[in-house]
Amino acid sequence: MSALKRSNRNPFSGLPLERFGEQREQFDPNRFDGELRCLHGLSDGRVRIQHDSPKLYWRSRAETSQRVLLGHHAGILYAVEWESLSADSLPPTQPPFPDLRAHAQMLDPFEAGLAAYARAMVIWHQRHRYCGVCGSATESKAHGHRRRCVADTCGTEHFPRIDPAIIVAVSCGERLLLARQANWPEKRYSVLAGFVEPGESLEDCVRREVFEESGINVRDCDYHSSQPWPFPSGLMLGFTAHTDDETLRLDEELEHALWLNPEQLVAAIADGELRPPSGFSISRRLVEDWYGERRATTLSAAVAAHKARPNTA
Ligand SMILES: [Zn+2]
């Protein structure tokens, strides 16, 4: 399977949207020959859903001036506009604005991708209202795809930022390395991850993060797939890596780590001793693909089969 196909399976990825690209400066939404659907958002990046269903709520016309045109698809122009309010400041009778982390799995893939894209753009606008060069105010340009410093003597242009992070499935022979941090939900384990630092290639970052967190030296690594991760501006870059030395020396970031072969992983999940990564994260895909490459079934099918076994104890 190609990296393109692997990435398209990751939640929030593969959004079939024409994003305007080069035409952003000249694009006139009033001359768009189609329907406008506008997400209603808050300044913390949350977007409103319908009262009686988990689906996104759409306005048919723009009502506020804080707006980003996201793109168009199948004759529909998508945008997000937002209030200068966060979810914390809303009275309880207000419409529902759920947290995307908790709500993403209830949305269909297209709506989840739009909500993720909108969240990243709104948070970027909220955090870049002032110029990082001279401190003057900035104003939104190109339908929300850049901000420009208003000072005549400066005029610096600011573009949406993305923070790249690697996430890596490290294996040693038939075993996979899984670890957990103390502040995660009980029994939740995942693969290792960390932010890319200036002056590093992605591969440098894989080697450094794995060594810093676990004491493991990886001998090689390969790209797997990527996933937009708008919490608040991440791009997760998935890798697989191998080591010949399974000796763990954990740093303070990790509470526990362990090596599991495919059967041990299935048993640990089925018996409730280990919770795999969230279903909408690339880490879950890395674990599932690691399993699928070693056994002739899927991880979820193997877990279901293990649970259905007669109790021989
Ligand atoms: Zn400036």
Side-chain angles (χ1 to χ4, degrees):
M1 187 184 290
S2 72
L4 176 64
K5 286 184 178 171
R6 285 196 294 264
S7 283
N8 280 344
R9 295 179 311 153
N10 293 334
F12 308 143
S13 307
L15 193 60
L17 205 61
E18 171 54 61
R19 293 184 176 225
F20 309 116
E22 297 303 309
Q23 303 122 46
R24 272 174 195 148
E25 303 290 334
Q26 292 83 30
F27 183 77
D28 180 357
N30 295 318
R31 300 180 70 179
F32 180 75
D33 184 21
E35 180 188 347
L36 172 67
R37 287 192 187 175
C38 204
L39 284 167
H40 181 195
L42 300 176
S43 61
D44 54 11
R46 292 177 182 231
V47 293
R48 181 173 167 184
I49 60 166
Q50 298 177 19
H51 263 296
D52 51 357
S53 101
K55 296 178 75 63
L56 298 178
Y57 171 88
W58 299 102
R59 289 170 167 175
S60 59
R61 62 190 175 85
E63 295 177 23
T64 75
S65 58
Q66 300 184 109
R67 184 166 61 248
V68 174
L69 286 186
L70 300 172
H72 62 90
H73 174 64
I76 299 171
L77 180 60
Y78 292 95
V80 58
E81 57 177 18
W82 63 98
E83 317 278 347
S84 297
L85 290 169
S86 67
D88 299 339
S89 56
L90 285 180
T93 52
Q94 284 294 306
F97 288 89
D99 177 39
L100 185 63
R101 269 183 205 270
H103 193 69
Q105 289 187 90
M106 284 184 265
L107 296 171
D108 73 42
F110 182 71
E111 290 205 340
L114 278 175
Y117 177 17
R119 178 185 161 85
M121 292 301 287
V122 170
I123 293 176
W124 173 70
H125 277 277
Q126 287 300 118
R127 294 185 178 186
H128 292 81
R129 290 178 291 168
Y130 298 96
C131 177
V133 178
C134 75
S136 300
T138 60
E139 59 186 1
S140 179
K141 294 286 184 182
H143 301 294
H145 289 269
R146 62 184 166 90
R147 294 186 74 87
R148 187 171 190 281
C149 174
V150 299
D152 291 340
T153 51
C154 180
T156 301
E157 303 212 311
H158 301 272
F159 293 88
R161 64 169 293 164
I162 294 166
D163 300 318
I166 64 90
I167 182 161
V168 54
V170 180
S171 56
C172 182
E174 272 286 273
R175 300 199 291 167
L176 174 69
L177 177 61
L178 291 173
R180 63 169 275 110
Q181 295 179 14
N183 59 351
W184 287 0
E186 194 181 0
K187 298 180 181 176
R188 166 68 51 79
Y189 280 77
S190 184
V191 297
L192 303 184
F195 285 105
V196 182
E197 295 187 350
E200 277 187 325
S201 69
L202 298 176
E203 294 78 7
D204 292 336
C205 182
V206 167
R207 285 194 310 165
R208 176 183 56 77
E209 279 290 341
V210 172
F211 183 75
E212 284 179 0
E213 292 188 11
S214 69
I216 295 293
N217 279 300
V218 297
R219 65 173 150 78
D220 56 31
C221 70
D222 289 293
Y223 178 67
H224 178 275
S225 64
S226 63
Q227 181 188 30
W229 192 247
F231 304 104
S233 53
L235 173 65
M236 303 304 294
L237 298 144
F239 284 83
T240 58
H242 302 92
T243 183
D244 300 315
D245 179 5
E246 61 182 26
T247 310
L248 294 171
R249 290 178 299 277
L250 304 187
D251 73 356
E252 66 277 6
E253 195 173 314
L254 297 181
E255 179 189 63
H256 185 229
L258 74 176
W259 294 98
L260 293 172
N261 70 27
E263 283 64 44
Q264 290 169 326
L265 176 65
V266 167
I269 297 172
D271 296 341
E273 295 165 8
L274 180 150
R275 291 168 66 187
S278 159
F280 78 109
S281 68
I282 185 176
S283 49
R284 177 71 159 264
R285 292 290 186 201
L286 286 164
V287 173
E288 288 176 343
D289 282 0
W290 171 85
Y291 183 88
E293 286 167 10
R294 285 161 180 79
R295 296 295 181 266
T297 181
T298 64
L299 178 60
S300 56
V303 169
H306 188 96
K307 285 180 177 172
R309 288 189 320 176
N311 189 349
T312 54

